Amino acid sequence: MKTNPPNPNLTEPRWLRLTLIAVALTFLLLMLVVPLAAVFYEALKGGWTLYLQSITDPEAWSAIKLTLITAAVVVPVNAVLGVAMAWLLTRFDFRGKQLLTTLLDLPFSVSPVVAGLMFVLLFGAHTAFGGWLEAQSIQIIFAIPGIILATLFVTFPFVARELIPLMQAQGDSEEQAALILGASGRQMFWRVTLPNIKWALLYGIILTNARAMGEFGAVSVVSGHIRGETNTIPLLVEIFYNEYNFTGAFALSGVLALLALATLALQNIITRIQERKLAAAERNVA
């Protein structure tokens, strides 16, 4: 059977494809690979012993623990709040829904530094509410609770923004069918809703975790930079670098980069699993 040759007007020239690929690879090499390699090179330039001493230093270890604790608190809370927000905005119609949808993107549009300043103005010791909290021996600003609140604010939209388009596309027909067949609201959520959104939820959780560990601006404002107490990894990297402690700065940068790479690897694994499941489902339908 004779096939028609491809229309040259609908295909790009070979030289154009090669040029675009070369530009993309060069950009990735210069902007991502080379800087990342430079961080690990500087971190390990003095040898493994010095590297391990740098990250096990009490001040560095305190920053690592605080970063992990913050992420461990922020990620589950934002996962629950994100699912609740996505459910509200996709399953119910109410007055002010458009305004709430707009406010959901507020942490994306507000500078992290401004976000941190908002918490200082709300919970600072010289404000009415902050002063009352201080009288109750509850310290928010320049303490761990302030760091967690600031990180919660800047990472809040990630889960909801991953779920909303998916839940809108899926609709609620399966959930309504489950309710008609006698399922309770809890059974409907765990057996119908959650399995349908689990991959988008995991992706949103990964993005939230990455941002929580790397947040600098908002945390810098509310932390107070108390050595050994309220410095996360990004804050301590800046402090070490400004003090010309380049080994410690690059060692902690390497830790943060490894955490980011682990997050990226997990994201790729989840994407591959999702693609395999979709391919298997398409083969079963065919």
Side-chain angles (χ1 to χ4, degrees):
M1 182 177 179
K2 186 178 179 180
T3 58
N4 295 325
N7 189 342
N9 294 325
L10 300 179
T11 58
E12 67 279 358
R14 179 180 175 82
W15 67 267
L16 179 59
R17 291 201 305 270
L18 294 177
T19 301
L20 292 176
I21 293 173
V23 170
L25 291 177
T26 302
F27 177 82
L28 291 176
L29 182 66
L30 294 178
M31 301 302 295
L32 297 178
V33 178
V34 172
L36 190 62
V39 168
F40 285 110
Y41 172 78
E42 292 292 337
L44 298 172
K45 185 168 60 175
W48 280 101
T49 302
L50 185 58
Y51 176 80
L52 293 176
Q53 287 177 352
S54 299
I55 63 175
T56 55
D57 175 80
E59 193 171 349
W61 186 239
S62 173
I64 294 172
K65 288 192 294 184
L66 179 56
T67 301
L68 295 177
I69 289 172
T70 301
V73 174
V74 167
V75 171
V77 171
N78 270 344
V80 174
L81 293 177
V83 171
M85 182 64 71
W87 183 285
L88 174 65
L89 294 176
T90 59
R91 297 296 184 261
F92 300 97
D93 290 320
F94 53 91
R95 182 176 299 177
K97 179 178 178 179
Q98 186 59 46
L99 176 62
L100 186 60
T101 304
T102 303
L103 290 176
L104 179 62
D105 292 328
L106 185 63
F108 286 151
S109 57
V110 173
S111 168
V113 175
V114 176
L117 183 60
M118 291 191 302
F119 284 102
V120 172
L121 295 176
L122 180 61
F123 296 108
H126 299 292
T127 64
F129 187 44
W132 179 83
L133 289 175
E134 288 280 349
Q136 309 303 316
S137 300
I138 301 174
Q139 186 174 359
I140 303 296
I141 303 302
F142 307 148
I144 295 177
I147 294 173
I148 292 176
L149 285 175
T151 309
L152 277 171
F153 177 83
V154 298
T155 59
F156 174 71
F158 286 101
V159 172
R161 274 303 169 198
E162 289 296 322
L163 293 178
I164 289 174
L166 177 64
M167 295 179 70
Q168 287 175 335
Q170 289 178 344
D172 62 350
S173 57
E174 293 185 23
E175 296 164 354
Q176 294 294 335
L179 293 175
I180 292 173
L181 293 174
S184 64
R186 181 180 300 176
Q187 290 173 326
M188 177 199 68
F189 176 78
W190 287 105
R191 297 185 181 183
V192 178
T193 305
L194 189 59
N196 287 339
I197 66 172
K198 61 182 179 181
W199 297 115
L201 176 60
L202 284 172
Y203 190 71
I205 288 174
I206 289 172
L207 293 177
T208 302
N209 181 67
R211 178 65 185 273
M213 290 189 299
E215 176 55 31
F216 179 86
V219 172
S220 178
V221 174
V222 301
S223 72
H225 297 276
I226 303 174
R227 306 289 289 253
E229 294 185 21
T230 62
N231 280 326
T232 59
I233 295 178
L235 301 185
L236 194 58
V237 167
E238 184 197 33
I239 291 173
F240 279 171
Y241 191 84
N242 290 335
E243 293 177 348
Y244 302 101
N245 181 3
F246 298 124
T247 301
F250 284 111
L252 283 177
S253 298
V255 171
L256 201 59
L258 286 175
L259 292 173
L261 291 174
T263 301
L264 183 62
L266 181 59
Q267 174 188 335
N268 287 332
I269 291 172
I270 291 175
T271 301
R272 288 180 179 273
I273 294 175
Q274 185 180 12
E275 290 175 351
R276 290 176 182 175
K277 288 184 176 292
L278 289 174
E282 290 177 357
R283 286 195 300 268
N284 292 334
V285 172

